[in-house]
Amino acid sequence: MKKSSLLSVTAVVAASMLALSGCSAAPTGSTRACVILPDADSGTRWEPGDRPALEKALKGAGYEADIQNAQSDTAKYATIADQQLSKGCGVMLLVDLQGAGVAVAEKAKAQGIPVIAYDRPIKGADYYVSFDNAVVGQLQGQMIVDGLAAAGKDIKTASIIYSSGDPADGNAKMFLDGALSVLDAAGAKAAFTMEGTWDGAKAGTLFEQAFTAVKGKVDAVLAPNDNNAASIIAILDKNGLTVPVSGQDASVAGLQNVLLGKQWATVYKPFTVEAKAASDLAIALLKGEKPKANKTLDDGTPFVALDPIATTADKVKDVVAAGDAKAADLCTAAVAAACAKYGVK
Ligand code: BGC
């Protein structure tokens, strides 16, 4: 792990926390942090990663954490929010689901409850805590540039399939814009642009269509996360092709694909760091403080921005060393030789 960058983020957040005004009680008097996660399958992260990290950080500091999952259902998202609000929340941490977070943020704020948009932006939230999404996209674009160069292909003539995340997630555009800034500058052009989605199975179907449209000529695939990349790689595999593919999340499947050389790299966004930054902020708000952030979104929302880390095969061991992946999960029979090669143990 790039310790220096993580430390500098922690330092910025810690320094901002010191500059707080010192009241002592949550505006609503409640010490409950209410959290809504969006789904259990799109990113391989919300349940296995963010939930335990948030729970540990909030409960460890002595606060009650009510963490629910909307299971990809925007109506359920609204119902969960109503139930949480009727029980009482001192702060809300919302991961948006296709815009459902906006109405919830409005309701919470009408009751004097501060709202933190966690990972995905939400219009009207008081704070946004996330990795710097423009940088995530730039790292993804760079994966395609580096992967094509290593394959000895001219990026200007390469047949690249562009894909992206669900356009209803504000992050998806930031990832894509970041990637395009790098790809455009390198002279890349899309041979085919897929519809955006966070549904891995759908990404596979869309890629099959793209593959047919370009008559099987694919030199690289810009994929928005490891989950979509895994579906795309399955189809490339079926067709006997190994080309540079981007990703993000440092998921088990993503890291395995990186080790196997089927995915150029992944963007590692340690959820422990994100959960800690968000809970520090939530706790400050529960205490009635007014924390500062290190960045501001275009609409003026204070943004606690964290540093994402590009992870190629030789860096997978750093994710394991940081405790965010287990060698036992990564190094299955098919990956054992690659693990040995890259020192993952
Ligand atoms: C997150 C990614 C995740 C994707 C799908 C994005 O908003 O930043 O980490 O892979 O959603 O859940």
Side-chain angles (χ1 to χ4, degrees):
M1 185 190 326
K2 249 185 20 193
K3 285 241 166 60
S4 54
S5 61
L6 292 184
L7 283 178
S8 68
V9 165
T10 316
V12 169
V13 176
S16 353
M17 299 293 173
L18 285 176
L20 311 173
S21 63
C23 329
S24 57
T28 63
S30 168
T31 55
R32 260 163 54 86
C34 300
V35 183
I36 310 183
L37 304 175
D39 64 68
D41 49 22
S42 75
T44 56
R45 57 169 285 182
W46 309 114
E47 284 298 329
D50 297 87
R51 178 192 285 273
L54 284 166
E55 204 157 53
K56 187 169 169 222
L58 289 162
K59 288 195 177 157
Y63 292 90
E64 196 187 324
D66 177 1
I67 307 179
Q68 309 282 340
N69 193 313
Q71 309 287 353
S72 304
D73 180 343
T74 51
K76 183 165 180 180
Y77 196 103
T79 310
I80 291 172
D82 287 342
Q83 285 163 352
Q84 288 181 327
L85 288 167
S86 68
K87 271 184 107 180
C89 306
V91 61
M92 283 197 107
L93 273 95
L94 303 172
V95 184
D96 186 42
L97 172 67
Q98 302 186 324
V102 178
V104 174
E106 261 170 33
K107 270 193 194 169
K109 290 185 63 178
Q111 298 181 24
I113 299 163
V115 174
I116 300 172
Y118 182 76
D119 197 77
R120 297 176 173 171
I122 296 176
K123 205 170 151 279
D126 297 289
Y127 290 89
Y128 179 45
V129 176
S130 195
F131 285 87
D132 192 324
N133 298 304
V135 176
V136 170
Q138 288 160 18
L139 296 175
Q140 293 178 327
Q142 193 61 42
M143 290 173 199
I144 303 302
V145 172
D146 293 349
L148 284 169
K153 290 195 177 144
D154 180 0
I155 194 162
K156 298 199 173 70
T157 53
S159 174
I160 312 172
I161 311 287
Y162 286 19
S163 69
S164 52
D166 185 343
D169 169 9
N171 281 350
K173 185 172 164 18
M174 295 193 256
F175 298 147
L176 184 61
D177 287 351
L180 291 181
S181 71
V182 172
L183 290 168
D184 289 352
K189 275 182 212 64
F192 190 95
T193 301
M194 285 162 54
E195 189 191 314
T197 183
W198 283 137
D199 177 331
K202 186 172 172 196
T205 308
L206 291 168
F207 182 71
E208 240 159 4
Q209 292 162 3
F211 193 83
T212 308
V214 298
K215 302 193 170 61
K217 175 154 176 33
V218 177
D219 294 317
V221 186
L222 176 70
N225 72 356
D226 292 351
N227 198 41
N228 288 21
S231 299
I232 290 167
I233 289 167
I235 291 153
L236 289 168
D237 268 351
K238 210 169 69 185
N239 288 282
L241 279 183
T242 305
V243 301
V245 178
S246 61
Q248 81 169 294
D249 288 336
S251 70
V252 171
L255 292 168
Q256 288 179 319
N257 280 330
V258 171
L259 287 167
L260 291 171
K262 296 178 175 198
Q263 184 176 319
W264 185 259
T266 182
V267 181
Y268 169 38
K269 307 191 299 183
F271 37 72
T272 39
V273 173
E274 190 172 9
K276 178 74 169 65
S279 2
D280 284 352
L281 189 61
I283 290 165
L285 292 166
L286 282 166
K287 289 183 181 156
E289 299 169 346
K290 290 194 169 41
K292 293 204 177 75
N294 56 342
K295 282 203 170 186
T296 310
L297 287 182
D298 287 347
D299 68 1
T301 312
F303 176 18
V304 176
L306 309 167
D307 295 337
I309 304 162
T311 299
T312 39
D314 54 327
K315 304 229 176 67
V316 171
K317 57 177 176 336
D318 300 345
V319 182
V320 175
D324 287 330
K326 291 195 188 72
D329 294 339
L330 299 180
C331 305
T332 52
V335 193
C339 280
K341 177 171 172 196
Y342 292 109
V344 178
K345 46 183 188 300

